[in-house]
Amino acid sequence: DVVSPSDRGPVHCSDCGQEVPAGEFCCRCGTPLMVDETHPRRMGRRSHHYAAAPNEPAWAVRLTSTLFPQLPAHDMAAFRVALVSGVGLIVALGLVGVFSVALVAAALLVPLLVLLYFYDVDVYEDEPLLVVGRTVLWGAAGGVVVGLVANHLTLAPQQPGWSQLGSGSVLIRVVVLPLATVGLALAGPLALLRHPRFNDVMDGVVFGAASAVALQSAVLLVTAWPVTGLGLRPDQDSTAWTLRLVELGVFVPLIVAGGVGWASAA
């Protein structure tokens, strides 16, 4: 029989050894507090359950639920297919040499998924213009500004090394612009903080990540737009360009979204 500790007082967690309130999971380490009397260690192993998503193992990569934490379980598969299909489309367009179209697809993939996520879980609570305007649209506007500034920074060819950090243009590109990017991405979500309906930690994660991916998408489009001047199918190494597009259109936005989402939550 499975005995729940919910009818008892404080219990001792079998994983961290702390006395915690009775419940389904330990509030300190996330270990399930359900006890299987026939196999007492079976349900007490932390590797079997992840407290934030009990249906997922703790030691596993779950990209979709990490990016879209409030997404209902029955929609996870659809978003997973959309993400994989989008990456596949970018790769296919890049390998056939249609770099201009692949660039637009790479820049729009993650922001479109974020907007679909907003709609699916109704995170804006009947105020879509307020939330979308101060996150996605603000992030996109900030990205245009950052992209235009980056395009006007010309770095002279030189050998890489720490000595180059003394150069003003290098400092602007590797220090000032990244900090400005984070600041601009945070400004929109922080403006929502004074609204009681949008001031919890999960709102900070979602709005910060949305603003960040919109900003990074705009930066990519603005800084890489000169590529379109080379024609629809420029004579370039398709493999190298495709990898670069996947990096800038998928991996970089996800990294920026993680950092800004964490800061916004804090």
Side-chain angles (χ1 to χ4, degrees):
D1 294 331
V2 177
V3 179
S4 171
S6 58
D7 298 329
R8 299 177 296 178
V11 298
H12 285 276
C13 174
S14 61
D15 188 66
C16 66
Q18 299 295 320
E19 187 177 86
V20 296
E24 186 175 358
F25 295 95
C26 172
C27 64
R28 293 181 179 269
C29 68
T31 297
L33 294 177
M34 300 290 288
V35 178
D36 187 338
E37 291 184 342
T38 58
H39 298 86
R41 294 183 59 82
R42 179 175 295 175
M43 298 187 69
R45 296 288 294 174
R46 190 175 179 184
S47 60
H48 288 185
H49 299 276
Y50 176 43
N55 61 318
E56 297 180 356
W59 299 103
V61 177
R62 294 293 186 269
L63 184 60
T64 308
S65 60
T66 301
L67 295 176
F68 311 113
Q70 294 173 298
L71 195 65
H74 61 270
D75 288 339
M76 286 290 182
F79 271 74
R80 191 177 300 114
V81 169
L83 180 60
V84 173
S85 301
V87 175
L89 177 63
I90 296 170
V91 172
L93 291 172
L95 291 179
V96 300
V98 190
F99 298 125
S100 299
V101 182
L103 169 64
V104 176
L108 296 182
L109 172 61
V110 177
L112 285 178
L113 286 177
V114 169
L115 286 176
L116 287 175
Y117 171 67
F118 270 27
Y119 176 79
D120 194 32
V121 302
D122 193 25
V123 296
Y124 39 66
E125 299 185 16
D126 299 325
E127 292 198 38
L129 294 180
L130 175 65
V131 173
V132 175
R134 292 191 179 181
T135 54
V136 178
L137 296 181
W138 171 262
V144 171
V145 174
V146 173
L148 291 175
V149 172
N151 279 349
H152 284 82
L153 288 177
T154 57
L155 299 180
Q158 52 193 334
Q159 293 297 321
W162 292 107
S163 62
Q164 307 305 327
L165 288 178
S167 169
S169 58
V170 173
L171 281 175
I172 293 176
R173 184 175 288 277
V174 304
V175 178
V176 176
L177 278 184
L179 292 177
T181 298
V182 173
L184 286 172
L186 283 172
L190 288 180
L192 294 170
L193 184 62
R194 61 188 181 88
H195 294 268
R197 289 183 296 173
F198 306 125
N199 63 357
D200 61 31
V201 174
M202 189 58 69
D203 287 334
V205 174
V206 174
F207 298 153
S211 179
V213 296
L215 190 149
Q216 189 59 41
S217 173
V219 170
L220 174 59
L221 282 175
V222 172
T223 55
W225 194 252
V227 173
T228 60
L230 300 177
L232 186 62
R233 300 172 65 94
D235 184 17
Q236 301 290 338
D237 181 3
S238 60
T239 301
W241 277 49
T242 301
L243 291 176
R244 186 63 170 159
L245 282 174
V246 172
E247 174 191 346
L248 294 176
V250 180
F251 294 123
V252 171
L254 297 183
I255 293 172
V256 174
V260 174
W262 170 81
S264 182

